[in-house]
Amino acid sequence: MTDDPGAGAPTKLTASKQRWAQEGRFLTGHTARPEAERLPPGQHLVTNWPVLDLGMHPDIPASRWRLEVFGAVDKPVLWDWAGFQALPQTRAVSDIHCVTTWSRYDNAWDGVLTRDLLQAVSPRADARHVVLQSYDGYTTNLPLADFAAEGAVLAHRWQGAPLDQVHGGPVRLVVPHLYFWKSAKWLQRIEFRTEDRPGFWEVRGYHNRGDPWAEQRYSEE
Ligand SMILES: Nc1nc2c(c(=O)[nH]1)N[C@H]1C(S)=C(S)[C@@H](COP(=O)(O)O)O[C@H]1N2
Ligand SMILES: [Mo]
C-alpha cells in the first residue's frame, strides 16, 4: 500500500516514541508540558514585554516602600525594604500569559516566594482568599491555594536587574499559572480573608479565577 516506513502497524519503538512525545520527554525547556502545549489556547508568543495597567505608574522609592500583610493571619506584619530583603530570596523562572493574548516565555524573577511569606505570617485555618492592593489603587483577588502555588513570587528583580517601575517595581506579585492581571504591580497590601472579594477587573467582567489553560478570560454574565 505504502512504502513509508513510518506507516503501518505500530512497532514497539513507535509506541514508545508516541508516549515520549505525549510526556514531553527530551524537551529542554523549563516546563514539564509538551512544547506544543506550552502556549495556552488563543495566545501568541512575544519577545518584548508590553506594559499594561490603569495608566498611573506610582513612583515608590525603596526608602518609602512598605508591604502590609493583614487580615486572617496569626502574625500580621508591616515590612520595610530591609525587612523584606531579609526574608528568604529565591529565583523562579516562568512564562507570562496575558488575557490580551500575548505570552512571554522564560522570565527569571527574584524575590520572596509566596510560600515563604505564608511561613512568616501564618494564615489562620479559616483563611481561604487573598486580596492584593497596590499603590495605584488597583486590586485583584485570588484563592489562597493559587496565591500559594509553586512559582508564585513577590518579585523585585527580572532577568537579573531591578524590576522597572513601569512593570511594578519596587515589588510586584507574579502568579505564573493564572492570567497576568492577577499579578499585581506596585504591591502595597496583602489581605487574607475568609470570604472572597472580587478586585478591579473581576468586577468589570473578567473571570474570577483566570486560568489560561481553561481560557477563563471573561465571566459568563
Ligand atoms: N497595580 C497594578 N497591577 C496590575 C495592573 C494595574 O493596572 N495596576 N494591571 C494588570 C494587568 S491587566 C496586566 S496584563 C499586568 C501587566 O503587567 P506588565 O505591565 O508588567 O506587562 O499587570 C497587572 N497588574
Ligand atoms: Mo491584562
Side-chain angles (χ1 to χ4, degrees):
M1 218 60 109
T2 170
D3 54 11
D4 178 357
T11 64
K12 224 173 169 180
L13 180 60
T14 59
S16 307
K17 280 182 157 176
Q18 193 173 338
R19 188 159 38 78
W20 293 341
Q22 283 158 358
E23 291 169 358
R25 190 100 59 113
F26 307 133
L27 295 176
T28 56
H30 302 272
T31 171
R33 285 175 195 276
E35 193 68 18
E37 291 174 23
R38 185 172 179 184
L39 197 62
Q43 296 294 110
H44 68 275
L45 200 55
V46 301
T47 52
N48 61 331
W49 186 7
V51 173
L52 288 98
D53 50 52
L54 304 177
M56 194 197 305
H57 300 151
D59 183 8
I60 316 291
S63 59
R64 284 199 295 111
W65 179 87
R66 299 288 183 277
L67 178 63
E68 186 183 4
V69 185
F70 68 105
V73 292
D74 284 336
K75 295 183 268 181
V77 290
L78 179 65
W79 279 306
D80 64 7
W81 190 252
F84 183 70
Q85 295 296 330
L87 294 166
Q89 302 288 322
T90 305
R91 172 163 290 192
V93 179
S94 61
D95 300 341
I96 296 172
H97 305 299
C98 176
V99 72
T100 61
T101 76
W102 59 270
S103 292
R104 192 186 189 290
Y105 288 168
D106 293 326
N107 301 275
W109 307 102
D110 297 303
V112 177
L113 294 178
T114 56
R115 288 180 175 185
D116 289 321
L117 177 137
L118 293 169
Q119 188 77 25
V121 302
S122 298
R124 295 195 328 235
D126 59 352
R128 292 282 181 280
H129 302 272
V130 180
V131 171
L132 296 315
Q133 299 178 28
S134 298
Y135 280 95
D136 62 343
Y138 185 78
T139 58
T140 191
N141 59 309
L142 297 161
L144 176 52
D146 283 323
F147 179 81
E150 189 178 350
V153 58
L154 286 77
H156 56 85
R157 298 176 78 81
W158 175 79
Q159 313 294 57
L163 182 62
D164 272 356
Q165 184 185 338
V166 293
H167 287 299
V171 175
R172 78 176 298 160
L173 180 64
V174 175
V175 181
H177 70 292
L178 298 178
Y179 282 125
F180 211 32
W181 86 76
K182 296 291 185 180
S183 293
K185 308 202 275 190
W186 310 293
L187 192 55
Q188 182 177 25
R189 290 193 197 92
I190 303 175
E191 180 182 5
F192 288 81
R193 298 175 56 87
T194 57
E195 308 288 332
D196 196 10
R197 190 177 66 212
F200 182 88
W201 285 119
E202 291 83 5
V203 301
R204 286 169 175 79
Y206 281 34
H207 196 278
N208 198 52
R209 176 144 187 268
D211 176 359
W213 304 100
E215 282 214 78
Q216 294 175 340
R217 298 176 190 275
Y218 309 108
S219 54
E220 300 299 307
E221 283 82 0

